[in-house]
């Protein structure tokens, strides 16, 4: 579509000098037989590099990120190395689903900024955030969403609903989703006493926060001795706090470890 060898472009007027670029005169688009000719001669033949494309799933309103470039894998290429055109040798890319819990978000009382923090941290580590859902503080709804996400993504991150109050039901819902019993987690109980003290007034709150799904593990992902650990349940569910500044620091630490984690998607069978 560009002018070459001083010839007139397909969309040029008869009195065009054929020099191309700003010297040419063009018919308006509505007078052309083919509207694609309207920009003939104005754009170069060199096409821009393809960027990451965002596609929209036909069966869901959830945005998914399609990454075609094998050179985008974390630590896969050193600076200056040639990129391979073959994708067959690259391992399947792990994906993450985010479940944001909170009536206050659904009601518009609080802005959801944790989704942005998660998307940025995961993308920086070449782990696509494939799905995001926001659910209310309802036990069954949270459990159902965790099961659904586990079947669709390699890892599931939750945000919110993990405090000591009565409406913080995320941990109990995750136990339901995984088929775990709720048990007293001794390591968490000791950590809470260390962080909060052993005041009798706080005993009920400590008891609730240290009662966890039976498959729970405390994951320390930094060298900071003051760090609160990330709670991992089952094989691929990671429970993060809902407070934005705490969530952001935790999701950044977690994102750097997800590629090296042995994660597999869960498959659920319903007997009827």
């Amino acid at each position: 579509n560009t002018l070459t060898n001083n010839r007139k472009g397909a969309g040029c007027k008869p009195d065009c000098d054929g020099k191309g670029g700003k010297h040419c005169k063009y018919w308006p688009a509505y007078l052309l037989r083919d509207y694609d000719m309207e920009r003939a001669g104005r754009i170069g033949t060199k096409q821009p590099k393809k960027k990451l494309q965002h596609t929209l799933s036909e069966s869901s309103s959830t945005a998914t990120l399609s990454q075609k470039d094998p050179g985008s894998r974390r630590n896969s290429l050193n600076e200056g190395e040639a990129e391979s055109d073959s994708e067959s040798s690259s391992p399947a890319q792990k994906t993450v689903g985010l479940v944001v819990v909170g009536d206050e978000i659904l009601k518009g009382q609080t802005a959801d900024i944790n989704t942005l923090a998660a998307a940025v941290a995961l993308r920086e580590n070449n782990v696509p955030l494939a799905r995001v859902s926001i659910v209310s503080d309802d036990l069954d709804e949270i459990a159902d969403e965790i099961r659904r996400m586990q079947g669709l993504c390699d890892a599931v991150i939750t945000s919110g609903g993990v405090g000591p109050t009565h409406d913080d039901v995320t941990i109990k819902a995750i136990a339901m989703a995984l088929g775990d019993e709720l048990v007293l987690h001794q390591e968490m109980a000791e950590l809470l006493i260390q962080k909060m003290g052993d005041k009798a007034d706080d005993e009920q709150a400590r008891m609730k926060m240290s009662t966890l799904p039976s498959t729970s593990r405390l994951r320390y992902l930094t060298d900071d001795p003051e760090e609160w650990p990330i709670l991992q349940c089952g094989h691929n569910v990671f429970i993060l706090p809902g407070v934005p500044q705490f969530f952001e620091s935790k999701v950044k630490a977690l994102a750097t470890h997800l590629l090296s984690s042995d994660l597999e998607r869960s498959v659920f069978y319903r007997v009827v």
Side-chain angles (χ1 to χ4, degrees), residues 13-270:
K13 289 184 176 181
D15 59 344
C16 174
D17 59 11
K19 293 182 179 180
K22 64 182 181 179
H23 301 285
C24 276
K25 303 174 183 178
Y26 299 91
W27 289 107
Y30 64 87
L31 293 179
L32 296 174
R33 295 180 182 177
D34 183 356
Y35 288 173
D36 291 338
M37 295 166 53
E38 192 271 336
R39 288 181 57 83
R42 304 189 194 187
I43 57 175
T45 57
K46 186 177 180 181
Q47 297 297 324
K49 293 183 179 179
K50 292 184 178 180
K51 298 181 180 180
L52 298 178
Q53 296 180 344
H54 292 269
T55 62
L56 194 63
S57 172
E58 295 179 358
S59 60
S60 170
S61 61
T62 306
T64 60
L65 184 62
S66 173
Q67 290 183 308
K68 299 285 187 178
D69 184 3
S72 66
R73 296 193 308 273
R74 182 185 180 208
N75 297 333
S76 61
L77 293 175
N78 293 326
E79 189 174 346
E81 283 190 69
E83 296 182 357
S84 171
D85 293 332
S86 173
E87 297 183 17
S88 59
S89 61
S90 63
Q93 195 166 31
K94 295 174 182 177
T95 58
V96 173
L98 174 64
V99 179
V100 181
V101 180
D103 289 334
E104 68 280 4
I105 294 175
L106 291 173
K107 293 176 181 178
Q109 297 170 341
T110 302
D112 171 29
I113 60 177
N114 289 346
T115 295
L116 175 61
V120 171
L122 292 166
R123 182 173 181 177
E124 287 176 350
N125 289 274
N126 296 314
V127 182
L129 178 60
R131 290 178 178 270
V132 178
S133 62
I134 303 176
V135 297
S136 65
D137 294 299
D138 180 86
L139 201 62
D140 293 327
E141 287 188 18
I142 300 170
D144 287 344
E145 192 61 29
I146 294 296
R147 294 189 193 101
R148 189 178 77 91
M149 282 287 195
Q150 280 200 299
L152 296 171
C153 303
D154 298 296
V156 180
I157 297 174
T158 69
S159 164
V162 294
T165 59
H166 71 281
D167 58 343
D168 291 318
V169 295
T170 298
I171 289 177
K172 187 175 181 180
I174 290 174
M176 287 177 55
L178 300 178
D180 286 354
E181 294 182 0
L182 286 170
V183 298
L184 180 64
H185 195 285
Q186 191 61 40
E187 184 181 353
M188 176 61 86
E190 294 174 358
L191 177 65
L192 289 171
I193 291 177
Q194 176 186 339
K195 297 286 189 181
M196 302 171 59
D198 57 354
K199 296 179 181 179
D201 294 343
D202 298 328
E203 184 176 358
Q204 186 175 358
R206 291 198 308 270
M207 181 62 68
K208 180 180 180 180
M209 295 176 67
S210 57
T211 301
L212 305 175
S214 55
T215 58
S216 297
R217 289 181 289 167
L218 303 186
R219 300 288 298 271
Y220 293 86
L221 302 181
T222 70
D223 297 327
D224 184 359
E226 300 299 320
E227 174 199 11
W228 278 87
I230 290 175
L231 180 61
Q232 178 179 349
C233 298
H235 193 59
N236 62 352
V237 179
F238 300 89
I239 303 176
L240 273 58
V243 180
Q245 60 266 36
F246 299 144
F247 177 89
E248 183 176 10
S249 64
K250 293 303 180 187
V251 78
K252 284 181 178 179
L254 179 59
T256 62
H257 289 77
L258 284 177
L259 280 181
S260 60
S261 298
D262 181 21
L263 301 176
E264 296 178 358
R265 298 186 187 184
S266 299
V267 179
F268 291 92
Y269 298 92
R270 177 173 294 179

